[in-house]
C-alpha cells in the first residue's frame, strides 16, 4: 500500500476550528435557554426545573464534547493517529451521550419525545433494546470500513455526518439504560444483559484491527509519525483501545447497575415482611376452633 503523504510535518501547530466552537456554543446556549426560559414556563411553580445532577452532567458533557472535538485532539485523531481517533469515537459514543441523557430532566424529555408526535413515535420504536442495539452496532461496524474512514478524513462534510450519525445512534443505544423517561428504561436485569451484549459485539471490529498486519487506512499510512508509532502499531493500538477501554467502561456501568439492583431488592424486601405474627390470642383461638379432642379407639 502506498504511503499517504498529505499530513503536515508540523504536528503540534495550532489549528482553529470555529465550526466546533459554534456547535459547543449552540449546545451550551440551548442548555441556558432550557434552564432560564423554557423551564420556568413548562414546570409548575414550586417544582425544580433542573437538578444538581442535571447541571453537573450537562457541564461535563459540554466540556468533554469540546475537548474531543477541538485542537489538539481533533487534529491528532484526524491526521496522525487512528488510536487517538478511536479514543475520540469512544468518548463520543459511550460517555458524552450518557452524560447528556443524565442531564435531561424528565419534563424536557416529554416535550421532545411526545407520544403524539412523529419524533416520539420513532424514538419509542428505535429505543427498544433490540432495535437500539442493532442500529448502534451497525453504525459502529460501518464507521470502521476502509472507505468510510478514508472518506471521512478527506471530506469535512462527510466527517461531521459520520460523527453525528454515530452520536445519535449512541443516544438511542443508551436510552434503555439511562432514558429520562422511566417507561423507556428496561429493568436492572434487562439493562445489564443489554449492555453485556453491546460490550461483546464491538470485539469483532476491534479484533480485526488488532490482528491486522498491514495498514488498512491509507489516510493514516504516511511518513509523518507521531511519537514514532508505526501505522500498523497505531492500528493495533486502536483495536485494543476499542476492545479493552470500551469494554471496561461498559462493564463499569454494569457493575453500578448491579449494585443498584441489589440495593433496590434489599430495600423492597425485609425478612418476615409477609409472615403472619404469631400471638397468644391466635394460638388459643386456633385451639378453640379445633373443638374437643377425639378419643382414641382401640382396634379390635
Amino acid at each position: 500500500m502506498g504511503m499517504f503523504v498529505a499530513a503536515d510535518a508540523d504536528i503540534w501547530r495550532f489549528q482553529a476550528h470555529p465550526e466546533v466552537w459554534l456547535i459547543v456554543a449552540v449546545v451550551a446556549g440551548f442548555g441556558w435557554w432550557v434552564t432560564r426560559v423554557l423551564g420556568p414556563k413548562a414546570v409548575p411553580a414550586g417544582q425544580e426545573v433542573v437538578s444538581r445532577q442535571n447541571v453537573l452532567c450537562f457541564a461535563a458533557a459540554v466540556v468533554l464534547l469540546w475537548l474531543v472535538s477541538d485542537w489538539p485532539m481533533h487534529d491528532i485523531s484526524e491526521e496522525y493517529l487512528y488510536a487517538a481517533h478511536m479514543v475520540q469515537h469512544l468518548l463520543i459514543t459511550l460517555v458524552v451521550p450518557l452524560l447528556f441523557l443524565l442531564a435531561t430532566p424528565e419534563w424536557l424529555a416529554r416535550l421532545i419525545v411526545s407520544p403524539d408526535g412523529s419524533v416520539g413515535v420513532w424514538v419509542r420504536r428505535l429505543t427498544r433494546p433490540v432495535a437500539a442495539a442493532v442500529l448502534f452496532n451497525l453504525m459502529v461496524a460501518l464507521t470502521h470500513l476502509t472507505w468510510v474512514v478514508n472518506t471521512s478524513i478527506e471530506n469535512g462534510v462527510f466527517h461531521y455526518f459520520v460523527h453525528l450519525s454515530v452520536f445519535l445512534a449512541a443516544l438511542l443505544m443508551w436510552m434503555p439504560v439511562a432514558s429520562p423517561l422511566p417507561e423507556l428504561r428496561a429493568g436492572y436485569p434487562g439493562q445489564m444483559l443489554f449492555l453485556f451484549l453491546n460490550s461483546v459485539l464491538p470485539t469483532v471490529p476491534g479484533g480485526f484491527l488488532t490482528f491486522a498486519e498491514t495498514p488498512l487506512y491509507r489516510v493514516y499510512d504516511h511518513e509523518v509519525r507521531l511519537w514514532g508509532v508505526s501505522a500498523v502499531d497505531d492500528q493495533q493500538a486502536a483495536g485494543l483501545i476499542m476492545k479493552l477501554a470500551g469494554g471496561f467502561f461498559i462493564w463499569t456501568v454494569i457493575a453500578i447497575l448491579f449494585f443498584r439492583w441489589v440495593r433496590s431488592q434489599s430495600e423492597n424486601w425485609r425478612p418476615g415482611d409477609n409472615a403472619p405474627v404469631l400471638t397468644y390470642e391466635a394460638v388459643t383461638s386456633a385451639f378453640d376452633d379445633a373443638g374437643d379432642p377425639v378419643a382414641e379407639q382401640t382396634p379390635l
Side-chain angles (χ1 to χ4, degrees), residues 4 43 61 72 88 101-102 105 112 125 147 170 202 273 298:
F4 185 73
V43 177
Q88 184 187 50
L101 288 177
L102 295 176
I112 299 174
R125 289 177 180 175
W147 179 85
D273 279 353
T298 304

Side-chain angles (χ1 to χ4, degrees), residues 12-299:
W12 296 104
R13 72 197 183 283
F14 173 77
Q15 294 189 76
H17 298 288
E19 72 282 3
V20 173
W21 304 340
L22 177 61
I23 293 173
V24 172
V26 169
V27 173
F30 177 75
W32 179 89
W33 177 76
V34 165
T35 303
R36 300 296 183 180
V37 180
L38 180 62
K41 297 179 180 178
V43 177
Q47 293 188 13
E48 189 177 55
V49 175
V50 291
S51 66
R52 179 178 175 82
Q53 174 185 292
N54 295 146
V55 175
L56 292 177
C57 289
F58 182 78
V62 172
V63 171
L64 191 57
L65 178 64
W66 171 57
L67 291 177
V68 302
S69 303
D70 202 0
W71 180 90
M73 184 67 173
H74 176 277
D75 305 278
I76 294 174
S77 65
E78 303 304 318
E79 298 182 38
Y80 302 102
L81 290 180
Y82 188 58
H85 184 86
M86 185 63 68
V87 172
Q88 184 187 50
H89 266 233
L90 288 179
L91 292 172
I92 290 175
T93 58
L94 296 183
V95 183
V96 175
L98 179 59
L99 288 173
F100 273 126
L101 288 177
L102 295 176
T104 306
E106 183 176 342
W107 64 265
L108 178 60
R110 294 201 181 279
L111 288 178
I112 299 174
V113 191
S114 172
D116 300 329
S118 58
V119 174
V121 171
W122 279 106
V123 168
R124 292 171 189 275
R125 289 177 180 175
L126 295 176
T127 53
R128 293 170 182 169
V130 174
V134 170
L135 179 61
F136 174 71
N137 286 281
L138 178 62
M139 287 302 303
V140 170
L142 289 176
T143 56
H144 290 87
L145 294 178
T146 301
W147 179 85
V148 174
V149 173
N150 290 333
T151 305
S152 66
I153 300 302
E154 297 173 333
N155 188 303
V157 175
F158 185 72
H159 166 77
Y160 281 105
F161 172 76
V162 170
H163 274 207
L164 178 62
S165 300
V166 174
F167 177 77
L168 293 177
L171 276 177
L172 297 174
M173 185 276 290
W174 280 112
M175 287 285 277
V177 176
S179 171
L181 303 178
E183 65 270 18
L184 297 186
R185 294 196 298 264
Y188 283 127
Q191 292 178 21
M192 290 184 284
L193 177 60
F194 175 76
L195 288 179
F196 168 75
L197 294 176
N198 278 285
S199 70
V200 172
L201 294 175
T203 60
V204 177
F208 183 70
L209 292 171
T210 303
F211 296 106
E213 297 181 354
T214 58
L216 300 175
Y217 311 115
R218 60 180 175 80
V219 289
Y220 291 102
D221 185 18
H222 48 67
E223 296 176 349
V224 182
R225 309 308 313 171
L226 180 59
W227 299 313
V229 179
S230 69
V232 174
D233 290 341
D234 172 37
Q235 187 173 273
Q236 292 175 347
L240 289 174
I241 291 171
M242 183 180 186
K243 292 196 301 181
L244 299 181
F248 176 79
F249 180 81
I250 292 179
W251 275 93
T252 300
V253 177
I254 292 175
I256 294 173
L257 293 174
F258 174 77
F259 287 115
R260 286 185 178 180
W261 177 55
V262 171
R263 185 176 61 184
S264 68
Q265 293 295 104
S266 63
E267 290 176 350
N268 294 331
W269 178 83
R270 294 290 185 274
D273 279 353
N274 298 322
V277 179
L278 186 63
T279 63
Y280 174 79
E281 290 77 9
V283 174
T284 56
S285 177
F287 275 111
D288 293 340
D289 293 339
D292 296 331
V294 178
E296 183 178 355
Q297 296 182 355
T298 304

